[in-house]
Amino acid sequence: MTLFLGTFLDTPDANAPSGVRLRSDTDTALRVADGVITARGPAADLRAAHPGDEVVDLRDGLVLPGLVDTHVHFPQVRAIGALGMPLLEWLDRCALPEETRLASADYARAVAAEFVGGLVGAGTTTALVFGSHFASAVDVLFEEVDRVGLRVTSGLVVSDRSLPEPLLSTPDRTYDESVALARRWHGRERTRYAVTPRFSYSASDDLLDACAAVMKDVAGSWFTSHVNENQAEVAEVAQLFEEAEDYVDTYDRHGLVGPRSVLAHNVHATDRELSLLASQGASVAHCPTSNAALGSGLFPLRSHTEHGVRVALGSDVGAGTGFSLFKEGLQAYFMQQLLGPAGLPLASPDLLFLATRAGALALGLGDEVGDLSVGRQFDAVWVRPPVGDPLDVGLRHASCAEDALAKVFALATPGHLGGVWVGGDRVRG
Ligand code: GUN
Ligand code: ZN
């Protein structure tokens, strides 16, 4: 048994990113057995009650729930940082040439180590990961994730048109390779399978049917893709799918939109699409730095929440500018500010909710991770800046817990993390 001592911040009772209540407990202990939080209370009481427990002292700094990234691309670590291009040009010139290199399992192994290192280094403990177009590379990713111990849902990315030839598949191959990967990785330890057509722009109806067949035959599998990211892309998709009502319908017609679906972006959503996503219980991954870097647009968070659509955060590496969900939270806040009255004003507890519990809810893991209540897994991030660092100064002079948390979102980088735990295991020192 282990007692973790510290100041713990989380958002256990929030369900939407507005008016979120922050729970902040100082001089507190969490008692962890087999990775699960079994007791929580004043540190003095728990220490007296359990004198034989190992004690881990995290009182210098703050402890937050492990961060949850609901949209991040494994093969794009080396593509981070390209500026000045809209989506389709960025795909052609930056992302897709790099993704073709993952045909080599050796290349994929090096990228997988960089990718998983990037997640852990940023305090991300759970992620929905866009995999590779190559099954061998997806295996390599799962092996690395399994070795490090992260909670990852991922799968084979599939397309059968509009992309460079080495990245294309067929409906039959999609079904066979996806099911084979799911047999190896779905529901094993902390990994699950996600059916992943890249986007309707690169998928035929037959391919989307094959995706639906995989969803049906792999019980409890997840679905992820892109939607309504960029206006030129939305217009192309409307031409390709003349019978579809709109972009969301290109997936929904194949039964791919439901409570286990996470669609990335949705910047240019219609009311019909928002109503449909809400009624089907699907989630949207909001990727603020990506939307800004590619000039995709300002995400309509207010209309998502008003329609009752669940929203969580995604880094969208490599269009996004890094792995840090603190940076994504801050950028989400900026973008809502820029929308003026149409935006949803966000306070620091709303940002913490978006970066933790909202992701857990989107991924169906709300009973396991996302906050630090009794019964949850001990997935945690220790924010501990060096003495004299601007974040250290900020935390020491913060007026209240909400103020301290705002400083974390404004200033925290991976270099400020003193430790990261998944299921009670330390995955980063
Ligand atoms: N749409 C299709 N593929 C991608 C991708 O790799 N990144 C982003 N941001 N959008 C996409
Ligand atoms: Zn993406």
Side-chain angles (χ1 to χ4, degrees):
M1 310 287 176
T2 307
L3 285 179
F4 292 92
L5 313 182
T7 296
F8 298 92
L9 305 186
D10 63 359
T11 59
D13 42 32
N15 285 307
S18 186
V20 168
R21 180 186 77 86
L22 181 66
R23 173 168 68 172
S24 163
D25 288 327
T26 44
D27 293 325
T28 293
L30 304 190
R31 188 166 198 238
V32 174
D34 292 330
V36 176
I37 302 167
T38 56
R40 175 181 171 123
D45 296 0
L46 267 78
R47 289 182 85 166
H50 306 287
D53 282 7
E54 179 201 357
V55 172
V56 179
D57 187 352
L58 310 178
R59 284 176 295 182
D60 189 17
L62 300 172
V63 184
L64 310 177
L67 305 174
V68 182
D69 190 338
T70 60
H71 187 73
V72 55
H73 292 253
F74 152 48
Q76 296 180 4
V77 200
R78 298 182 185 188
I80 296 171
L83 303 178
M85 285 167 273
L87 173 66
L88 297 175
E89 185 186 349
W90 175 79
L91 285 172
D92 276 350
R93 291 181 51 192
C94 296
L96 301 178
E98 171 65 8
E99 296 204 21
T100 58
R101 298 189 187 109
L102 277 85
S104 152
D106 285 342
Y107 192 91
R109 204 163 286 115
V111 172
E114 293 163 358
F115 175 76
V116 173
L119 289 177
V120 176
T124 296
T125 52
T126 297
L128 176 58
V129 175
F130 237 76
S132 164
H133 289 269
F134 302 101
S136 53
V138 178
D139 262 322
V140 159
L141 170 69
F142 275 127
E143 280 162 17
E144 181 63 6
V145 157
D146 200 43
R147 191 185 69 74
V148 173
L150 290 190
R151 294 181 205 285
V152 163
T153 306
S154 189
L156 182 71
V157 181
V158 294
S159 290
D160 66 350
R161 61 174 160 184
S162 314
L163 300 189
E165 202 279 326
L167 300 180
L168 297 180
S169 185
T170 62
D172 283 349
R173 220 178 94 205
T174 286
Y175 180 87
D176 293 345
E177 291 183 350
S178 301
V179 168
L181 279 164
R183 281 211 186 98
R184 285 200 283 286
W185 297 106
H186 185 60
R188 162 170 160 177
E189 304 282 331
R190 295 170 181 161
T191 56
R192 302 183 302 180
Y193 195 78
V195 175
T196 313
R198 188 165 197 126
F199 55 165
S200 295
Y201 178 71
S202 66
S204 69
D205 278 307
D206 287 348
L207 189 86
L208 295 170
D209 269 341
C211 289
V214 181
M215 286 286 288
K216 183 168 148 293
D217 293 349
V218 179
S221 56
W222 284 72
F223 175 79
T224 191
S225 193
H226 296 94
V227 76
N228 288 322
E229 180 175 1
N230 163 290
Q231 273 163 333
E233 168 217 17
V234 175
E236 294 278 355
V237 168
Q239 295 224 313
L240 289 169
F241 292 83
E242 276 178 349
E243 291 104 80
E245 295 269 338
D246 44 43
Y247 204 149
V248 168
D249 191 41
T250 63
Y251 302 120
D252 187 49
R253 297 158 87 227
H254 295 276
L256 295 168
V257 179
R260 280 182 281 112
S261 307
V262 180
L263 291 168
H265 302 296
N266 211 28
V267 176
H268 307 283
T270 64
D271 278 345
R272 197 208 80 90
E273 290 176 304
L274 291 170
S275 301
L276 191 124
L277 292 169
S279 68
Q280 308 279 56
S283 297
V284 166
H286 171 33
C287 306
T289 71
S290 166
N291 293 166
L294 298 179
S296 302
L298 292 169
F299 180 71
L301 179 59
R302 181 187 284 281
S303 47
H304 278 72
T305 45
E306 283 174 0
H307 278 84
V309 180
R310 290 196 302 212
V311 176
L313 280 184
S315 66
D316 198 23
V317 158
T321 61
F323 286 95
S324 174
L325 287 178
F326 296 128
K327 182 156 74 168
E328 295 303 329
L330 184 68
Q331 183 70 28
Y333 163 81
F334 288 155
M335 291 169 109
Q336 295 309 307
Q337 289 290 96
L338 290 171
L339 276 165
L344 189 69
L346 295 170
S348 66
D350 304 326
L351 302 186
L352 183 62
F353 167 73
L354 281 169
T356 57
R357 182 167 155 75
L361 292 172
L363 298 180
L365 296 171
D367 291 338
E368 290 175 53
V369 299
D371 65 75
L372 296 168
S373 300
V374 170
R376 302 281 188 260
Q377 297 279 327
F378 186 71
D379 284 19
V381 178
W382 182 26
V383 180
R384 193 216 193 189
V387 176
D389 179 280
L391 180 55
D392 174 61
V393 173
L395 294 182
R396 287 184 199 288
H397 295 279
S399 58
C400 59
E402 288 78 2
D403 187 31
L405 185 60
K407 293 176 192 312
V408 170
F409 277 94
L411 290 164
T413 65
H416 292 124
L417 304 186
V420 179
W421 289 260
V422 183
D425 301 327
R426 196 165 188 151
V427 294
R428 182 195 148 155

